[in-house]
Amino acid sequence: MTFPQWIRACLDRVEIALQNGLPEVDCAPAKLHEAMRYAVLGGGKRVLPLLCHATGELVGAGSQALVVASVSLELIHTCSLVHDDMPAMDNDALRRGKPTVHVQYGEAIALLVGDALQSQAFIALTADDNGLNAVQQAALMRELARASGSLGMAGGQAIDLESIGTQLSRAELETMHGKKTGALIRAAVRMGALCGVTPEASAMSALDAYAEAIGLAFQVVDDILDMTADSATLGKTAGKDAQHDKPTYVSMIGLDASRDLAHQLGRDARTALDRFGPQAACLRELANLVVNRVH
């Protein structure tokens, strides 16, 4: 199977699980369920599920368990996007090439969509016959909760809001993105590993190093694309970082240096996988995909 074929197979499984796992629109409250499905289905890069699958396959995890973990990650990620786009946060009108949830359904429903998707993520992880035993369910819930809470994604967003119009040091910028973007990426890698035979400590440390490099590379490329791509390509509003006076890698070190940094982080990620040999081929390809993406 080629890498593009592997991606398609993974994403097809995850998309079907998302469609089947979300409440149907004929179930009350219909408008909320319609908005949840609008937010989640038919769009997005689905990088988190791909990372989860690639790591899980490295440790012999079953397909069913990896799909469940991937669904939970994607639901939390979409929850964060719905909330981040709202007027109290980034106030964006475009996401995944279509109007944001609060534009389409109103702010109150958008707030509830994010809340409901967060709950739905943990419902997925604790469903009967989902391919996970009780120990795995508890471990995965802890990883996901930690990554999405105040010490992870939510905390990174808080720092982001507080930093508008200020000058952060490079270390502070890295810390912010390590929480806001990096925490869920690290969780995706770790959750994939926890779906199978948990690697020994040194192997898990290598996977953490890979995830840290990929998480930062993803944000650096985001900063580059925000300046260089258009809204139609991105599927979201381009140039909003500069418009909101947010600190970015491009504003801090310049465009060329940011590109160099992204490629260096990609090399760091691939180096972290040396101990795994050819079995980590998909993780290496995902590192290339993150660094070289155009949207």
Side-chain angles (χ1 to χ4, degrees), residues 84-93 102 244:
D84 286 358
D85 287 337
M86 293 181 68
M89 304 282 243
D90 289 349
N91 193 22
D92 211 331
H102 75 271
H244 294 166

Side-chain angles (χ1 to χ4, degrees), residues 21-280:
L22 288 167
E24 295 289 348
V25 296
D26 58 0
C27 175
K31 186 175 182 180
L32 175 60
H33 293 151
E34 178 186 325
M36 290 167 66
R37 298 178 75 85
Y38 176 89
V40 173
L41 300 178
K45 292 176 279 293
R46 309 294 199 221
V47 171
L48 299 176
L50 292 173
L51 287 168
C52 182
H53 270 77
T55 311
E57 291 172 8
L58 188 64
V59 298
S63 175
Q64 185 182 9
L66 290 174
V67 168
V68 169
S70 296
V71 163
S72 70
L73 285 157
E74 196 61 29
L75 292 173
I76 289 290
H77 176 55
T78 306
C79 159
S80 75
L81 299 180
V82 172
H83 282 172
D84 286 358
D85 287 337
M86 293 181 68
M89 304 282 243
D90 289 349
N91 193 22
D92 211 331
L94 188 68
R95 174 68 68 177
R96 294 175 172 172
K98 60 186 182 182
T100 49
V101 176
H102 75 271
V103 170
Q104 188 76 8
Y105 292 95
E107 291 181 36
I109 288 293
L111 184 62
L112 293 173
V113 165
D115 294 344
L117 291 178
Q118 185 177 59
S119 298
Q120 199 72 31
F122 292 96
I123 290 172
L125 287 176
T126 56
D128 294 335
D129 301 323
N130 64 2
L132 299 165
N133 61 45
V135 173
Q136 287 174 315
Q137 288 181 5
L140 292 172
M141 286 192 291
R142 183 170 68 174
E143 287 290 339
L144 191 58
R146 180 185 297 160
S148 57
S150 65
L151 298 180
M153 179 183 66
Q157 178 67 8
I159 297 170
D160 189 18
L161 293 171
E162 292 168 359
S163 69
I164 293 174
T166 67
Q167 288 190 341
L168 298 181
S169 69
R170 185 163 172 176
E172 290 171 329
L173 185 63
E174 186 170 324
T175 296
M176 178 181 78
H177 290 313
K179 295 177 181 293
K180 183 179 177 182
T181 305
L184 270 187
I185 286 178
R186 181 174 182 267
V189 171
R190 291 181 64 86
M191 288 171 69
L194 292 171
C195 284
V197 178
T198 305
E200 61 185 34
S202 60
M204 190 63 92
S205 293
L207 290 172
D208 283 342
Y210 167 85
E212 182 178 353
I214 287 301
L216 189 54
F218 191 96
Q219 186 58 54
V220 173
V221 174
D222 243 20
D223 289 352
I224 293 168
L225 293 176
D226 187 72
M227 172 170 281
T228 60
D230 57 39
S231 297
T233 301
L234 293 178
K236 59 183 180 179
T237 306
K240 66 179 182 179
D241 289 339
Q243 179 183 345
H244 294 166
D245 197 19
K246 286 189 173 185
T248 68
Y249 281 93
V250 174
S251 66
M252 180 173 289
I253 64 176
L255 185 58
D256 289 341
S258 296
R259 285 175 171 145
D260 290 343
L261 175 59
H263 285 287
Q264 180 58 56
L265 289 165
R267 290 191 291 272
D268 292 345
R270 293 189 295 273
T271 299
L273 299 172
D274 282 350
R275 65 174 292 146
F276 300 109
Q279 287 77 18

